[in-house]
Amino acid sequence: KMPVGAPIVAYQPRARFHAGAAALPFAASAAEPPSAFNATLVRSAKDVFAGTMGGVTVTLLGHPFDTVKVLLQTQPANNPIYKGPLDAASKVVKAEGFAGLYKGVTSPLAGQMFFRATLFFGYARAKEFVGVSPDDPLSYCRAGALAWVAGSLFESPIDLYKSQWQSQIIKAKQTANYVPEFKSVAECVKASVKHSGIRGPYQGFGATLTRNLPAGAIYFGVFENAKNYFASRNESGTATDLQIMAAGGLGGFFYWSLFYPVDVIKSAMMTDKIDPTKRQYKGFLDAGSQLMKQGGIKRLYAGLVPCLLRASPANAGMLFTVDKIKQMLG
């Protein structure tokens, strides 16, 4: 018999499985009551929506710079078409108008929305899995690396088709009667699958991972720790909007500046022939070696200026957008 005044404790069916659920956060939903499971779904939906909006922001802000970067990265070293980023941008605008800087934006816009949604969903779950804390600055780096492993699976195909499409601009400049190999991104997708099956969309995937694992760890690590630093110095205990953007800009700058040569090699592999039998590069190391023979170490930094001009504002805008949307949604 229950004593008078004894507290009534509601039955919790997941209590006996609590330790196992904590050890396996990705599989915990099966043991959670409906209310907790619904909360997880809502939280995940917020992460996906915020990431999607971040993808829109980074594409609209960064695509013109990215177009110029790819043009400079992939032009021949012995007979360059462009003298620098300003020359490349002005020639594109002169030939095709300002819209030329956004050539091929449809595919990366859709792709970036999906990719960033996946990335920030993965990052949120990775933070829960790792157990991030301001007292452990490297915990954000570990979570960032995990998130970029998943994100790379979606980013790599997007990068491939965007690079293939943009590289046709260079070929059109080199040859007067040039006929584009692909009339649409869809044709490029079909060709890659035709020649290489399921591996087709992942041309250059090894280079993508080589860049993204360390760069992604630094990207989120710098952003989160800079934001925490700003927050610790404010009376409110939170970072201001400008400070969040500054932290995002720093994250983007370090992501690109430290691993830029790897990105140049990746671009070379992704603008190589879709047909494996006609490719110039046999792999990552071979591509790096051939690029070095073309112009030394300087060749591996082609297009660095527009890349860094893009990195800070585009990533500041994206990370600010994601952060503010998640704050607004609660």
Side-chain angles (χ1 to χ4, degrees):
K1 182 178 180 181
M2 182 179 292
V4 177
I8 299 175
V9 180
Y11 173 64
Q12 297 180 358
R14 68 185 290 262
R16 63 183 294 185
F17 302 105
H18 180 72
L24 296 170
F26 290 102
S29 60
E32 291 178 349
S35 59
F37 179 66
N38 291 339
T40 301
L41 286 179
V42 171
R43 190 166 63 250
S44 298
K46 291 176 180 178
D47 294 328
V48 168
F49 178 71
T52 300
M53 293 301 99
V56 173
T57 302
V58 75
T59 303
L60 295 181
L61 289 175
H63 193 79
F65 295 99
D66 197 55
T67 297
V68 173
K69 175 179 74 81
V70 172
L71 293 177
L72 293 175
Q73 283 183 343
T74 56
Q75 67 177 340
N78 57 350
N79 186 28
I81 300 169
Y82 310 107
K83 298 177 182 178
L86 290 178
D87 182 52
S90 63
K91 285 182 177 177
V92 170
V93 171
K94 183 178 180 180
E96 304 178 52
F98 186 73
L101 295 174
Y102 280 93
K103 187 170 184 178
V105 73
T106 304
S107 177
L109 178 60
Q112 282 290 334
M113 291 169 67
F114 185 70
F115 161 54
R116 298 294 172 177
T118 304
L119 177 65
F120 284 98
F121 169 79
Y123 181 54
R125 303 291 78 76
K127 287 197 293 183
E128 295 172 358
F129 180 76
V130 170
V132 297
S133 168
D135 297 326
D136 182 9
L138 290 179
S139 63
Y140 296 104
C141 297
R142 293 193 293 271
L146 284 175
W148 277 93
V149 169
S152 296
L153 293 171
F154 298 97
E155 182 192 26
S156 194
I158 295 167
D159 250 5
L160 170 65
Y161 300 126
K162 179 190 67 176
S163 298
Q164 285 283 332
W165 187 255
Q166 289 176 329
S167 69
Q168 291 187 153
I169 298 176
I170 290 183
K171 296 172 184 176
K173 306 293 183 185
Q174 291 176 315
T175 308
N177 299 319
Y178 172 73
V179 178
E181 188 174 358
F182 308 110
K183 296 179 181 179
S184 67
V185 174
E187 281 191 10
C188 186
V189 174
K190 291 179 181 178
S192 66
V193 174
K194 176 184 177 181
H195 288 293
S196 303
I198 195 172
R199 296 177 60 186
Y202 288 94
Q203 180 176 326
F205 181 64
T208 300
L209 277 182
T210 302
R211 181 197 67 181
N212 281 358
L213 289 182
I218 289 175
Y219 178 70
F220 280 118
V222 169
F223 169 66
E224 296 283 11
N225 285 295
K227 191 174 69 168
N228 289 340
Y229 171 77
F230 289 136
S232 68
R233 297 176 65 86
N234 296 338
E235 290 185 8
S236 64
T238 59
T240 66
D241 290 350
L242 285 177
Q243 289 171 339
I244 292 172
M245 285 190 280
L250 279 174
F253 177 82
F254 282 107
Y255 176 95
W256 286 105
S257 61
L258 296 179
F259 301 95
Y260 190 77
V262 181
D263 187 68
V264 173
I265 296 173
K266 179 187 72 66
S267 291
M269 295 177 69
M270 287 189 168
T271 53
D272 206 352
K273 291 291 185 180
I274 290 293
D275 185 347
T277 62
K278 299 179 181 179
R279 286 179 192 166
Q280 179 180 354
Y281 308 113
K282 298 177 181 178
F284 181 82
L285 294 179
D286 181 56
S289 176
Q290 289 195 45
L291 291 174
M292 286 284 288
K293 290 178 182 178
Q294 292 177 14
I297 192 70
K298 185 179 179 180
R299 179 67 181 86
L300 297 180
Y301 284 90
L304 177 64
V305 173
C307 177
L308 294 184
L309 288 175
R310 166 194 180 273
S312 290
N315 285 280
M318 178 182 67
L319 289 171
F320 171 75
T321 297
V322 172
D323 203 79
K324 291 303 290 184
I325 288 178
K326 292 181 72 171
Q327 286 182 29
M328 292 168 60
L329 294 177

